[in-house]
Amino acid sequence: MLESVVGAVFFAAFLLTLAVHKITTRRRAEVEKRVTEVVGDRVPSIRDQELKVPLYIRAVKPALNKFTGLLTRAMPAEKEAELSVKIDRAGISEKIAPREFYVMKYAVAAGFAFLFWLLGGAMSKSVTQATFMACAGLALGWYLPDLYLNSKGSERKREIERTLPDVLDLLTVSVEAGLGFDSALMRVIEKTRGVLSDEFRTMLQEIKMGKPRIDALRDMSKRADVDDLSTFTGSVILADQLGISIGNVLRLQSEQMRQKHRQRSEEMAMKTPIKIIFPLVFFIFPAIFIVLLGPAIIAISNSMIGK
């Protein structure tokens, strides 16, 4: 009981501090806005420039770096390489490193274990039950970052598959209009937004830094891990090696991607009747039976009781 009271007091103090901070920062922002309207823009100080950096970069990342050397000494190289690939596919390689992510798993697991232990104390559970809940929270906190990483990677793959046909159409039109391949990619980056545009930008930056175009294309294909994009990069690499016209290759790839996208949409439409069977059987049909047969069952039971 004491643990639950302490946890509630700590949570209330945290919410109060957060509310006071939000009110004070709002007033300060309003004052700065009025001063800017009257005086004009001022040169930001070093402190203001540091405060504009996200909290994760200023506070969380340095703390993770300190604990990384202590907790990841026994981390296998294979595990680090696997995590690096997953982080690249999720598109957060600039925000967190594999060893930092490993440390974050420890922190999240410990936090969930402590939270579930406090929850067990608040529910007046025994020590054994509270310990069991803490172990369940530990397991949940350990696997939750992996689930987030996998879901983020799957989301990026779906977005690349969805936007690739339109991007290839724009790329094909730009190349047939007389632009080179790199210039056409720059035009695509300027006109589109999303995961695929970011991948093209990264690839062009690698090429400017001296990496061969073939290697940059292969690295982009490995980061994205999308079959359609791998097919596209393979065709471009083959055309570059054999001296084939890149416009014809892009036109053919654009048509094939459109056809695959149409087939994928038709496949999803064909799966819809099968997926809807389960909610029909378990949720809709029982409600219909209750509405239709309920009055009849009540009338029959009343007549039998009357007899």
Side-chain angles (χ1 to χ4, degrees):
M1 188 64 181
L2 181 61
E3 293 84 354
S4 60
V5 174
V6 173
V9 171
F10 176 77
F11 187 68
F14 174 75
L15 291 179
L16 181 61
T17 305
L18 188 63
V20 172
H21 175 71
K22 187 174 182 180
I23 293 173
T24 54
T25 52
R26 181 184 298 176
R27 292 178 180 175
R28 182 179 179 182
E30 292 176 356
V31 172
E32 289 182 354
K33 183 178 179 181
R34 293 176 183 175
V35 172
T36 302
E37 291 176 356
V38 176
V39 181
D41 295 334
R42 62 183 180 87
V43 179
S45 61
I46 298 177
R47 177 178 174 81
D48 294 336
Q49 294 178 1
E50 292 179 351
L51 291 177
K52 287 183 180 180
V53 179
L55 179 63
Y56 174 80
I57 303 297
R58 288 188 286 114
V60 179
K61 196 176 181 66
L64 288 178
N65 290 332
K66 290 181 180 179
F67 289 103
T68 295
L70 299 176
L71 297 178
T72 59
R73 291 178 180 177
M75 183 179 181
E78 295 81 5
K79 183 67 176 180
E80 184 177 359
E82 182 181 353
L83 273 178
S84 178
V85 171
K86 290 183 178 181
I87 290 173
D88 289 337
R89 291 175 182 174
I92 56 175
S93 58
E94 297 180 354
K95 299 179 180 180
I96 190 169
R99 292 182 177 271
E100 295 174 354
F101 182 81
Y102 202 65
V103 174
M104 185 176 293
K105 288 184 65 175
Y106 279 108
V108 173
F112 269 81
F114 181 70
L115 181 63
F116 276 54
W117 183 73
L118 286 180
L119 184 61
M123 297 173 62
S124 300
K125 299 292 184 180
S126 63
V127 178
T128 304
Q129 292 175 340
T131 305
F132 179 76
M133 292 181 64
C135 293
L138 183 68
L140 178 63
W142 180 259
Y143 288 105
L144 195 61
D146 291 331
L147 293 177
Y148 168 77
L149 203 62
N150 294 332
S151 64
K152 195 75 174 178
S154 301
E155 182 180 353
R156 282 172 57 87
K157 289 179 65 175
R158 288 193 297 268
E159 183 176 352
I160 291 175
E161 291 176 350
R162 180 177 55 84
T163 58
L164 184 58
D166 296 332
V167 170
L168 280 183
D169 288 341
L170 180 58
L171 188 61
T172 303
V173 172
S174 300
V175 171
E176 290 181 348
L179 295 177
F181 184 71
D182 295 344
S183 301
L185 285 178
M186 287 297 300
R187 179 61 58 88
V188 169
I189 293 171
E190 294 174 356
K191 297 297 182 181
T192 60
R193 295 291 182 272
V195 177
L196 193 56
S197 178
D198 295 339
E199 291 292 342
F200 284 153
R201 183 180 292 107
T202 303
M203 184 193 69
L204 289 179
Q205 289 176 355
E206 292 177 349
I207 293 176
K208 291 179 180 179
M209 293 174 63
K211 180 181 289 188
R213 180 190 295 175
I214 295 177
D215 296 338
L217 286 169
R218 287 173 179 170
D219 291 342
M220 181 184 67
S221 177
K222 291 179 181 178
R223 284 196 307 269
D225 192 27
V226 178
D227 294 337
D228 294 344
L229 187 60
S230 299
T231 303
F232 162 70
T233 55
S235 300
V236 173
I237 290 172
L238 185 62
D240 193 10
Q241 291 177 343
L242 299 180
I244 305 174
S245 174
I246 193 68
N248 296 332
V249 173
L250 291 176
R251 173 66 63 182
L252 181 61
Q253 286 295 314
S254 177
E255 294 176 357
Q256 290 181 353
M257 294 302 169
R258 283 290 178 188
Q259 185 177 2
K260 287 184 178 180
H261 185 69
R262 190 181 302 109
Q263 292 175 352
R264 194 178 293 113
S265 301
E266 293 175 354
E267 181 181 359
M268 293 177 62
M270 293 296 291
K271 290 180 180 179
T272 302
I274 300 175
K275 292 180 179 179
I276 206 173
I277 289 177
F278 298 99
L280 280 174
V281 172
F282 292 104
F283 298 102
I284 299 178
F285 283 167
I288 293 176
F289 290 153
I290 291 173
V291 172
L292 296 179
L293 301 180
I297 294 174
I298 293 173
I300 292 173
S301 60
N302 291 333
S303 63
M304 293 179 63
I305 294 174
K307 291 182 179 180

